[in-house]
Amino acid sequence: MSDTTHPAEPKSSPLRNVVRHAAQYVPALDAILRERHLRYRMRAALGYDPNLSQPATFNEKLGWRILHDRNPLLALTTDKINARGYVADRVGNDVLVPLLGIWSRAEDIEWEKLPNRFVLKGSHGWNMNLLVHDRTVLDIPTAVSQANGWLRRNHYETAGEWAYRDLTPRLLAEEMLLDADGGIPADLKFYVFHGRVRLLRVHIGRHGHHRANSYNERLEPWSVRQAHEPDPSYVLPPETQDALRLAERIGEEFDFARVDLYCVGGRVFFGEITHYDGNACSPFSPAGLDRVIGDYWTLPSSHRSASSTAIVPR
């Protein structure tokens, strides 16, 4: 999940529409327009002109990845269904949230066979989650319409993130995880660089009063801010160290991956793997931390030659 609101796009014009139409048939032009569009969004969100040919900050390196990195593992693990198999191969099935079903059409869901509480998701993007706390009062026609709307989305077209481009749109349902208070558990987002966690962002109350705390690799509080206010009363669960080790094993094949986990009932559960955190458009506070965190990330050795041109093969 990218966890960001994209900055407003420049107003369209007849000429711009013609160029966009032509770009559908000319890969080189498409690549140039996508880089231009990404630069515009990054500049508007971050407040600085990103250097995508010699990236140094975390967001610049994310921008480079969006434009150039075509590692097939990015696409494999971006798909929420395929990611389950990848994670099970690395750390075992015990971390997987129980799966209730997979569908290609919302009309095929047999709602009466699902438990009273569950979560319905789109496998091929972000912000496609329906939390069902009581199936008996669910408006099924509305849910079907919403889910079919997800299936028509392609996040590559809106965000330019390559790993989403060719994913098969599917729906999946998983059991709903609840914390000791009966609420949605905190989301522990581990930033794994070259197999090592360097930053943990814990999102609390995501479906209500959303707050976020940051911690360093030793799980000590770190004054890293992005978008949400911290919660000084929050205490990390005792399983966090186990979760950190699992995140490193799950993310060790990538130069960077954000691995999202949950700690519930003394166990650690897998959420998702994200490769384009914030779509390269999430500013840090203090701003200098963008560079500090970027220093943890060494891009693939091919990045110099790849970034020498805006023409990227599709």
Side-chain angles (χ1 to χ4, degrees), residues 30 136 256 296:
D30 179 66
T136 63
F256 163 71
Y296 294 132

Side-chain angles (χ1 to χ4, degrees), residues 15 25 178 191 210 233 268:
L15 177 58
Y25 306 99
L178 298 176
Y191 290 63
H210 191 166
S233 68
V268 179

Side-chain angles (χ1 to χ4, degrees), residues 130-251:
L130 177 62
L131 278 62
V132 178
H133 293 273
D134 185 352
R135 178 177 54 78
T136 63
V137 298
L138 177 65
D139 184 337
I140 292 178
T142 298
V144 168
S145 176
Q146 181 179 5
N148 278 331
W150 298 342
L151 293 172
R152 291 191 292 270
R153 293 187 197 172
N154 185 322
H155 285 299
Y156 173 72
E157 297 303 323
T158 57
E161 297 172 349
W162 169 82
Y164 292 98
R165 191 187 70 189
D166 298 320
L167 298 188
T168 300
R170 292 178 290 177
L171 305 169
L172 70 154
E174 294 177 339
E175 287 189 7
M176 180 182 290
L177 300 178
L178 298 176
D179 61 22
D181 297 322
I184 301 300
D187 191 351
L188 280 65
K189 300 178 183 295
F190 292 91
Y191 290 63
V192 184
F193 297 90
H194 307 282
R196 184 172 175 180
V197 168
R198 296 291 193 167
L199 169 67
L200 166 61
R201 294 273 291 158
V202 180
H203 288 254
I204 307 130
R206 287 169 298 140
H207 304 283
H209 183 198
H210 191 166
R211 291 143 293 151
N213 291 356
S214 297
Y215 305 86
N216 63 20
E217 58 195 283
R218 296 179 298 277
L219 301 181
E220 300 165 339
W222 191 7
S223 57
V224 178
R225 294 266 301 274
Q226 281 183 298
H228 303 289
E229 295 288 331
D231 181 356
S233 68
Y234 177 78
V235 177
L236 287 171
E239 302 82 23
T240 304
Q241 188 65 55
D242 294 335
L244 183 150
R245 287 193 289 267
L246 280 171
E248 291 184 333
R249 291 170 60 190
I250 292 169

Side-chain angles (χ1 to χ4, degrees), residues 1 72-83 122-126 161-165 167 254 272-276:
M1 181 185 303
L73 275 182
L74 300 180
L76 174 72
T77 54
T78 290
D79 183 292
K80 290 182 172 60
I81 295 170
N82 294 338
S123 67
H124 57 293
W126 66 86
E161 297 172 349
W162 169 82
Y164 292 98
R165 191 187 70 189
L167 298 188
F254 304 97
E272 65 180 20
I273 302 174
T274 297
H275 298 293
Y276 307 108

Side-chain angles (χ1 to χ4, degrees), residues 261-304:
L261 302 173
Y262 303 97
C263 295
V264 176
R267 294 178 57 189
V268 179
F269 290 94
F270 170 70
E272 65 180 20
I273 302 174
T274 297
H275 298 293
Y276 307 108
D277 181 64
N279 193 239
C281 290
S282 289
F284 286 87
S285 177
L289 289 172
D290 201 350
R291 176 60 187 267
V292 170
I293 295 171
D295 284 344
Y296 294 132
W297 186 357
T298 301
L299 291 173
S301 58
S302 60
H303 87 275
R304 291 183 182 273

Side-chain angles (χ1 to χ4, degrees), residues 9-206:
E9 299 183 21
K11 291 184 179 180
S12 187
S13 69
L15 177 58
R16 183 174 289 114
N17 290 335
V18 169
V19 173
R20 285 178 176 172
H21 179 75
Q24 298 177 37
Y25 306 99
V26 183
L29 178 59
D30 179 66
I32 291 169
L33 291 181
R34 288 190 182 278
E35 177 168 346
R36 182 174 178 270
H37 181 58
L38 178 62
R39 285 182 181 278
Y40 169 82
R41 288 191 287 103
M42 291 180 68
R43 188 183 305 114
L46 303 175
Y48 64 86
D49 193 19
N51 184 340
L52 298 178
S53 60
Q54 297 293 327
T57 70
F58 176 67
N59 278 296
E60 286 173 339
K61 290 180 178 181
L62 283 171
W64 184 91
R65 170 177 276 184
I66 289 170
L67 295 173
H68 300 291
D69 196 341
R70 301 299 180 256
N71 179 353
L73 275 182
L74 300 180
L76 174 72
T77 54
T78 290
D79 183 292
K80 290 182 172 60
I81 295 170
N82 294 338
R84 291 173 58 92
Y86 178 85
V87 169
D89 288 343
R90 299 202 64 80
V91 300
N93 289 302
D94 289 347
V95 302
L96 300 181
V97 179
L99 182 67
L100 302 173
I102 298 172
W103 306 273
S104 297
R105 303 187 321 146
E107 290 83 0
D108 295 335
I109 299 174
E110 297 180 282
W111 302 92
E112 70 280 358
K113 294 185 178 180
L114 293 173
N116 200 44
R117 287 195 303 263
F118 62 91
V119 180
L120 184 69
K121 303 178 179 181
S123 67
H124 57 293
W126 66 86
N127 289 342
M128 295 189 290
N129 303 286
L130 177 62
L131 278 62
V132 178
H133 293 273
D134 185 352
R135 178 177 54 78
T136 63
V137 298
L138 177 65
D139 184 337
I140 292 178
T142 298
V144 168
S145 176
Q146 181 179 5
N148 278 331
W150 298 342
L151 293 172
R152 291 191 292 270
R153 293 187 197 172
N154 185 322
H155 285 299
Y156 173 72
E157 297 303 323
T158 57
E161 297 172 349
W162 169 82
Y164 292 98
R165 191 187 70 189
D166 298 320
L167 298 188
T168 300
R170 292 178 290 177
L171 305 169
L172 70 154
E174 294 177 339
E175 287 189 7
M176 180 182 290
L177 300 178
L178 298 176
D179 61 22
D181 297 322
I184 301 300
D187 191 351
L188 280 65
K189 300 178 183 295
F190 292 91
Y191 290 63
V192 184
F193 297 90
H194 307 282
R196 184 172 175 180
V197 168
R198 296 291 193 167
L199 169 67
L200 166 61
R201 294 273 291 158
V202 180
H203 288 254
I204 307 130
R206 287 169 298 140

